[in-house]
Amino acid sequence: MNRYLRQEMIDWFSQEEIARTRACVVGAGAVGNEVVKNLVLLGTGEIEIVDLDLVELHNLTRSVLFREADVGRSKAEVAATRAKELDPNVTISFRVGDFKQCMSPYRLQGFDCLIGCVDNFEARIYMNTIARIAGVNFINLGIDSRHALAECYPFGSNSTVACYECGLPPSAYDRMAQRYSCGHLKKIAYEERKIPTTIVTSSIVAALGTSMALRLGDRNSGEVASSRILVDTIRGQSTVTHSLAVGPGCPVCTRIPRDAVLIVGSRYQTSMLEFLADSLDEPLDSVLVILSEPIVASAVCAKCGREPFDGKLRLRAARDLDEAARFCSSCGDTSVDINYVEECSLAEFNRVFVNTAVPIQYAILLSKAAPVCISFED
Amino acid sequence: MEEVKVILRTADQTRKAEVTLAREKTGADVIQAAVDNWSLATDTDYALVNFSSGKSLAPTGLISADLVKDGDILEVQPVLVAGI
C-alpha cells in the first residue's frame, strides 16, 4: 500500500515535488509543532527545525508533538524525534540555538522555504532579511487568541516583491526599542508580554502556512506578489491581501540592493575580502561594508578609563550583550561606555578583522562594481 | 488639498466609519487615527489594507489615488506576533 495514496489522487498535487522540497522551520512552539506535523504528514523531503527553547508544561495544550515527560528537553530535538515517528521517509534534522547565530544566507540557500513560527519582531526581521538575500521564499506566521495571520514573501521567484519590513508600522520599532537600553544592550529585567493563544489559531495558521510553503495548488500560477491571509477564527471570516505594498524607505529594501551577488567567505580569515579588494578598481576606503548586526567597536569605563575584561567585549556582536556589559571589571562601577559599528570602509574592516573571527553572519559590500553579500561561514 | 472618502473598519468589524482622508496622509497616519479615535488596544501593532482592491498600504506610503479610491473599504488589521 502506498502511504501517500490519497494525496496522489488529487490532480493538482505532486507528491514528487513535495518530496523534493527542503523546508526550514524556525520556532518549534505551538505553530511550529503544527507546521512540522503538516510537512511530515504530506511527505516533505527534508525538514530542519531550529529553536533555542526548552519544553515547558504550558506548551502541552498547544503542541501535538510534546508529552509531559518532555518538559525540560529541547523543543527542536523533541519535535524532530516525534515527527520522525510520523513518517520515517522524511529527513528531519534540528538545531538547538538562536537562528541568528546558526543560519547564514548561504546556508539558507540550501532550502526552498523558510517558515517563521516565532514570537517576536527581531527574529522575523532577521529571517526576512536573509531570505531576501538568499532568494528563498519566506512564510511568516502569527497568531493571537482569535486571529491567524499567514504571509508569503516569494523571494525565490521575484526579488522585487514587498518584504516583511515594508509593512511594519513605526509602533513595532518603538516596541522593539523598549527591550534595549544604551543603544543595543538588552534589558536584563525586561519582561516579554505574554500573548494568549490556543491550538485553534495555531492549527489554522499552520495549515495556511504549510500550503503557502509547499505552494499547494499554485506551483504553476506564476504568483509574484507578497500576500497575506488574516483569518478571524471565531467568525470564520478571512481577508486575503494578494499584493503587499513595497514600503518607501523600508530599512531592508533601501539598505540591501536587490541585485547583490551572494558569495561565501570564511569568518576566520579575510583572504576572500583581500581577493575582493584586489578585484575592485577603487580605493578600499571608498568601499562601504554594511554589517548584518552591530559590533562593539570600543568599550571603555568612563570612570577609570580602562577596558573591562581585558578588552574582550571589543568586536563581539551586540546581540550577545546585555546591560551587564556596562559593569567595569576593573573599578566595579557601572560606567562602561560602549560604541558600536554598523558600517565601515572595506579598508577598516580588513584592518580590524585581520586576526579575529567575524562574529556576524553576513556583510554587504557597496562599491562602484556590482553589490556583493558575503556570507561568513565556519 | 485633495481628499478621498472611504469606509474605515477594523478586521473584526466591531468598528466602522465613513471617513474623509487627505491624500497627503500615510498609512501610519490612518492607523494612528483609528487607534486614537476607536481606543484600539495600544499593546498591539496594526497594518492597513485596502479590502476593496486586495492590496496593502505601506505605513510609510501615501494614500495616493492609484491605491485608494472613493468608496473603498480600508481595514485596520492586527500585526500578529505570537507563535509559541
Side-chain angles (χ1 to χ4, degrees):
Chain A
M1 178 66 81
N2 176 2
R3 174 187 282 264
Y4 309 110
L5 178 66
R6 291 297 175 107
Q7 294 169 186
E8 289 178 343
M9 291 167 66
I10 304 168
D11 57 3
W12 47 260
F13 191 97
S14 169
Q15 192 64 53
E16 289 77 22
E17 286 186 11
I18 301 295
R20 280 198 300 269
T21 300
R22 299 153 300 171
C24 179
V25 181
V26 182
V31 176
N33 260 250
E34 288 291 313
V35 167
V36 169
K37 177 216 45 171
N38 292 344
L39 290 172
V40 172
L41 292 179
L42 285 163
T44 304
E46 287 181 38
I47 303 168
E48 179 164 306
I49 306 168
V50 183
D51 199 313
L52 52 71
D53 281 338
L54 305 178
V55 178
E56 295 181 61
L57 189 62
H58 68 84
N59 297 138
L60 300 180
T61 56
R62 304 176 307 286
S63 306
V64 69
L65 300 174
F66 299 160
R67 307 288 178 267
E68 206 162 313
D70 299 324
V71 171
R73 294 179 61 200
S74 150
K75 284 183 179 177
E77 182 179 5
V78 174
T81 304
R82 291 274 150 60
K84 189 77 184 166
E85 292 170 7
L86 293 176
D87 186 347
N89 300 315
V90 177
T91 301
I92 304 174
S93 59
F94 68 91
R95 280 176 184 259
V96 180
D98 183 348
F99 181 73
K100 265 188 172 183
Q101 287 169 299
C102 60
M103 188 63 76
S104 65
Y106 174 71
R107 266 212 76 225
L108 188 62
Q109 277 194 324
F111 296 94
D112 299 295
C113 55
L114 172 64
I115 310 174
C117 310
V118 297
D119 67 345
N120 62 82
F121 286 120
E122 285 96 334
R124 287 181 167 92
I125 285 173
Y126 184 71
M127 283 188 279
N128 169 69
T129 308
I130 68 164
R132 184 171 167 280
I133 292 170
V136 170
N137 293 347
F138 172 46
I139 312 299
N140 172 48
L141 306 177
I143 53 172
D144 63 15
S145 58
R146 177 169 184 152
H147 299 97
L149 176 87
E151 295 174 330
C152 176
Y153 299 93
F155 300 130
S157 310
N158 187 342
S159 65
T160 65
V161 296
C163 79
Y164 176 70
E165 282 202 71
C166 284
L168 212 51
S171 58
Y173 294 98
D174 295 340
R175 213 174 298 286
M176 279 184 272
Q178 290 170 10
R179 289 179 170 200
Y180 300 89
S181 68
C182 304
H184 301 284
L185 296 179
K186 290 188 202 88
K187 287 180 183 171
I188 295 173
Y190 184 78
E191 191 169 343
E192 293 288 343
R193 185 168 66 104
K194 302 280 191 296
I195 299 171
T197 61
T198 71
I199 186 61
V200 173
T201 51
S202 38
S203 58
I204 289 173
V205 84
L208 293 169
T210 305
S211 188
M212 285 176 169
L214 298 178
R215 305 194 64 199
L216 298 181
D218 75 343
R219 280 187 181 253
N220 301 315
S221 69
E223 172 204 11
V224 288
S226 298
S227 58
R228 173 193 296 149
I229 301 176
L230 178 72
V231 180
D232 180 334
T233 65
I234 304 297
R235 298 176 67 172
Q237 289 178 326
S238 64
T239 303
V240 179
T241 307
H242 57 73
S243 177
L244 299 181
V246 174
C250 165
V252 174
C253 298
T254 54
R255 195 168 52 103
I256 300 175
R258 296 182 186 279
D259 56 347
V261 177
L262 182 61
I263 63 170
V264 181
S266 166
R267 71 171 73 250
Y268 298 106
Q269 46 91 11
T270 53
S271 59
M272 173 61 80
L273 294 179
E274 286 161 10
F275 169 76
L276 270 172
D278 289 342
S279 68
L280 295 170
D281 187 23
E282 59 188 296
L284 299 193
D285 280 327
S286 65
V287 178
L288 182 65
V289 180
I290 301 174
L291 309 177
S292 62
E293 300 172 67
I295 292 174
V296 175
S298 68
V300 178
C301 178
K303 191 177 177 191
C304 70
R306 287 183 220 147
E307 285 192 89
F309 304 104
D310 299 325
K312 286 179 182 158
L313 290 183
R314 228 174 341 115
L315 302 185
R316 285 182 64 181
R319 71 171 125 77
D320 294 338
L321 306 180
D322 60 27
E323 286 175 316
R326 297 212 67 217
F327 171 77
C328 178
S329 57
S330 296
C331 71
D333 209 68
T334 309
S335 304
V336 176
D337 289 333
I338 300 176
N339 292 308
Y340 305 90
V341 58
E342 297 184 60
E343 56 183 48
C344 58
S345 71
L346 183 53
E348 190 179 2
F349 187 90
N350 282 347
R351 202 162 45 239
V352 168
F353 288 104
V354 66
N355 287 319
T356 308
V358 181
I360 55 174
Q361 298 292 359
Y362 68 90
I364 306 289
L365 260 67
L366 298 180
S367 66
K368 287 176 190 162
V372 169
C373 174
I374 302 173
S375 187
F376 296 112
E377 305 298 320
D378 291 335
Chain B
M1 184 171 59
E2 199 184 346
E3 295 179 330
V4 60
K5 193 177 281 187
V6 299
I7 306 289
L8 187 64
R9 74 184 189 195
T10 53
D12 61 9
Q13 297 185 34
T14 57
R15 292 165 176 89
K16 191 174 183 180
E18 188 177 61
V19 297
T20 302
L21 303 172
R23 291 284 189 194
E24 67 204 28
K25 296 293 182 190
T26 63
D29 292 333
V30 178
I31 290 168
Q32 192 57 53
V35 170
D36 293 342
N37 285 289
W38 287 335
S39 301
L40 301 182
T42 53
D43 59 356
T44 300
D45 302 294
Y46 300 92
L48 189 64
V49 163
N50 186 335
F51 182 83
S52 304
S53 68
K55 295 181 177 179
S56 74
L57 299 164
T60 51
L62 299 175
I63 310 299
S64 55
D66 57 327
L67 295 173
V68 183
K69 296 175 174 51
D70 277 327
D72 280 354
I73 298 171
L74 304 189
E75 192 168 281
V76 178
Q77 299 184 345
V79 176
L80 303 183
V81 76
I84 62 171

